[in-house]
Structure formats: structure tokens, C-alpha cells
Amino acid sequence: MNGDTQRENSITGGERAPADLARRLDALESRIAYQEHWLDTLDEAVTVQEKRLSQLERINALMQEKLRDQQRALQDADAETPRPGDEVPPHY
């Protein structure tokens, strides 16, 4: 009885049939190929997003510059336009 138990443990524990090992190897290779495909897809998506982010940052910088220019132009126009309190009444 003890000899039968040792033989079962050695077959199920460490020794596997070549067909079983080949099947497991094929499954692992398939999983690796699938993961490599997804990594390539994700890499491509990150690259596209990085380009888009750079483009949006440039647009944002241009818009901020234009906004500052418009604010300066408005301030300059306000400074040049006389205020009602600064005007001399016509009878003076």
C-alpha cells in the first residue's frame, strides 16, 4: 500500500506525460502571443494619445497668449479712453 501511494505521487507530482506538457506549452505560447498583441495595441494607443496631448498643449499655449494679448489691448483701450469724471464739461 505504501509503495502504491509513492508511485501515484511521483506520477502526479513531478512526472507528466509529454502530450500534457506539449498542450500546456502551446497554451502558454498562445497566451504570450495574445499578451504581446495587446501590449502592441496599448503602445500604439499611448503614442497616439501622447501626440494628441502635445497638440492640445500647443493649442492651449496659443489660446492663453491670445487671451493675454486681448486683455492687454482692452486695458490699453480703457487707459486711452477718457472717463466721464476726467472730461471737462463743455462750458469750461
Side-chain angles (χ1 to χ4, degrees):
M1 182 162 205
N2 197 10
D4 290 338
T5 305
Q6 285 180 340
R7 190 168 12 120
E8 284 180 12
N9 287 342
S10 68
I11 290 174
T12 58
E15 297 176 18
R16 298 187 184 256
D20 185 39
L21 290 175
R23 183 186 52 78
R24 291 183 66 214
L25 182 61
D26 288 342
L28 288 173
E29 287 175 344
S30 175
R31 288 178 65 187
I32 288 172
Y34 182 75
Q35 289 175 355
E36 285 177 347
H37 168 73
W38 274 107
L39 284 175
D40 290 341
T41 302
L42 291 174
D43 186 44
E44 186 177 318
V46 168
T47 302
V48 169
Q49 288 179 351
E50 185 177 343
K51 287 178 184 176
R52 181 69 175 146
L53 180 60
S54 295
Q55 181 183 22
L56 290 173
E57 286 173 340
R58 284 193 306 268
I59 290 170
N60 185 30
L62 289 172
M63 295 297 285
Q64 287 180 359
E65 185 178 335
K66 286 183 178 186
L67 183 60
R68 281 192 295 271
D69 290 344
Q70 288 180 351
Q71 287 174 340
R72 278 190 221 113
L74 284 174
Q75 289 173 354
D76 291 345
D78 285 345
E80 293 175 3
T81 305
R83 294 191 177 116
D86 294 340
E87 291 185 17
V88 178
H91 61 278
Y92 282 107

